[in-house]
Amino acid sequence: MAEMNLVMLVIFAIFINNVLFSRFLGTCPYLGVSKQISTAMGMGAAVIFVITLAAAITWPIQKLVLDPLDMGYLQTITFILIIAALVQFVEIVMKKTVPGLYQALGIYLPLITTNCAVLGVAIININEKLSYVQALVFSAASAVGFTLALLLFAGIRERLALRRIPRDFAGVPIGLVVAGLLAMAFMGFAGLKF
Amino acid sequence: MSAWSEFSKGIWTQNPVLRLLLGLCPPLAVTTSAKDAVGMGLSAAFVLVMSNLVVSLLRRTIPDRVRLPAYIVIIACFVTIVDMVLKAYVTDLHKSLGLFIPLIVVNCIILGRAEAFASKNPPVLSMLDGLGMGLGNTLALLAVGTVREILGNGTFFGLPVLSSVMEPVLLFVLPPGAFLTLGFLIAGMNRLERRHAHG
Amino acid sequence: MSDAVPAPRSEGLRDLLVPVLVIVIISAGSALLLGLVREATREAIAAADRAEAENALKIVLPAGLSVDVTKPFTATVNGRELEFFAGTDEAGTLRAVAAKTASDKGYSGLIRILVGFTGLDDSGTLQVTRTYVLSHAETPGLGSKITTCQEQTDAAACGDAFWTRFQGRAVSPGVLKPVKDGGEIQALTSATISTRAVCDAVLEAGEYVKAHRQEILDGLRGAPGKGGTP
């Protein structure tokens, strides 16, 4: 991935290797939040903000602190603490600036901490040896891909609510089946090149 | 609840993946082979048992307002231990599980049990809870992994099982197959529970 | 959760200090524990890493040669950095060279491969031992077949696996290209692009070895104790 230019990186993160449909990151919030397009949009925006900020902070910490001191093994602990702190911070800010959205997201906001996409992307930035700029772009684009997945799903779910589904599939199972079909659709993006 | 029921609830009635619907990322990501699935299950189980134990031991010491960061550090500690041990002694599993080993730290099952059980119960019961949930998680992972490996690759734990009967359906080892398999499995579980409740 | 009534000022500081202290202690304890585990596993991890790198080299180079993963000769070829590794026999003679290269002309992302060359005495006799794909993101079921059976070193056990099509091939554009493009390599069904990418990388590495044979040999031979050529 490090060899890609920024445009290709964005296309890659959103479509070809979508953080949810290809990498499976962020499945829990995806299934929980996307019942309405408006909340999906709000959640998506929050995730984009947190993921980019997390990348902005974790990347330099890795390169300037963990690597030189040969403490790579503390990566997991350090990164997740940074993310937890970041989410707390975002919560406080949101409560003051957009209280309506803050209420709407409710429990799902602190749950961004456990969204595997945030920690996952932060680690991928390091594993794939991306530069700082690439890492920021990739992280933001991944979150956009996540938001896209949320929106698609919310749109479908709003329609599903008007339909009859086998009782056993109600809720998460049908959500997974829809995700599977969307994942299949996204597979069509493989091989896209700029 | 008795010690036995604290342990056994995690396996079926309160199976973390199939009933509580927690920790759904690993069953999708690392189940392309039954071996990887079980490897992940056991690794997560180790972290779960140990973190439940420590959280339970420290439950009166950790102030309420920092309990989540405290749990996270404890869990992350054990996850890192698993990561290093696997890298040293079970390298091919470490390679297959890759990114998802550190991601165990955000597995909702582990944080969920620390918060819901270990913070309120004595150490031995907490360990049993962790053990049961860990086993249930492993079984769920194994179930998904088995379906995906047999149908998608024609093998089971690496041994060919389909060969002349039919060609493997590639879809199952790809992302869509993961979502579909897990979705159907949970639906199937719902069906069994409904039948059990009625009959 | 916390009480609705805010705590009085004098308690405020202690209210803040104790939680922070607890976190700090737990974090310190964890870091300590991890440091210990790390020391305990350090050797095993280093050995595992080394074994993995050596394993790929051993597959690609002729049997019986000893390989050194630690001192490659690096060279920039067409904008890409290639690493060359030596395969020496018991007498210490350099018998084969493995090139670690990559191609971005695959269907999907980078294809990293290791390719071995023998016949180093003369540019004319240079030939490919075999290839080994290190990583790729090609289409599952189609391009992904570039790795079929590649852990095996016995061609007979692998039928028409992709890697066997490169065995013993001469390094020349008339050979190391898909049949469609005028070469002799049979392309994978519905995976011409993946085939082309691998051929491309192998040919590029091979031609570099041909043209800079002496330089590479000197660089690898001089490596022990002299740090090799960066």
Side-chain angles (χ1 to χ4, degrees), chain B residues 66-77:
Chain B
V66 286
R67 67 183 198 289
L68 280 180
Y71 299 163
I72 287 176
V73 175
I74 294 168
I75 296 171
C77 178

Side-chain angles (χ1 to χ4, degrees), chain A residues 5-191:
Chain A
N5 62 54
L6 293 180
V7 173
M8 194 57 213
L9 207 55
V10 169
I11 305 289
F12 186 74
I14 299 180
F15 297 105
I16 304 175
N17 227 318
N18 183 284
V19 70
L20 183 73
F21 295 130
S22 290
R23 295 189 198 259
F24 306 109
L25 302 175
T27 317
C28 296
Y30 167 80
L31 291 170
V33 161
S34 45
K35 293 203 169 73
Q36 271 185 301
I37 292 189
S38 48
T39 24
M41 200 63 226
M43 174 61 143
V47 171
I48 294 176
F49 188 61
V50 172
I51 248 189
T52 315
L53 217 54
I57 301 178
T58 54
W59 194 98
I61 296 276
Q62 174 84 23
K63 300 286 179 186
L64 302 176
V65 177
L66 295 180
D67 282 345
L69 297 177
D70 198 23
M71 297 207 296
Y73 64 102
L74 291 181
Q75 183 191 64
T76 310
I77 279 193
T78 322
F79 277 25
I80 192 64
L81 279 179
I82 292 175
I83 292 172
L86 211 53
V87 172
Q88 281 280 354
F89 170 70
V90 169
E91 265 193 273
I92 294 174
V93 167
M94 270 184 100
K95 203 172 182 180
K96 291 222 167 78
T97 54
V98 280
L101 185 58
Y102 176 81
Q103 289 297 341
L105 288 179
I107 187 82
Y108 292 112
L109 202 46
L111 279 183
I112 295 182
T113 315
T114 54
N115 184 334
C116 352
V118 184
L119 179 61
V121 167
I123 297 179
I124 291 175
N125 289 338
I126 307 295
N127 289 350
E128 294 287 333
K129 302 186 175 55
L130 298 180
S131 71
Y132 196 42
V133 174
Q134 281 180 316
L136 293 175
V137 169
F138 176 70
S139 307
S142 295
V144 169
F146 178 71
T147 310
L148 180 63
L150 280 187
L151 289 176
L152 285 173
F153 195 43
I156 293 179
R157 247 188 159 163
E158 280 187 359
R159 286 178 157 194
L160 262 188
L162 305 170
R163 290 257 169 266
R164 276 202 319 194
I165 310 167
R167 214 180 327 173
D168 303 312
F169 274 88
V172 168
I174 196 71
L176 287 169
V177 172
V178 171
L181 295 174
L182 287 172
M184 231 186 283
F186 269 68
M187 276 180 70
F189 289 114

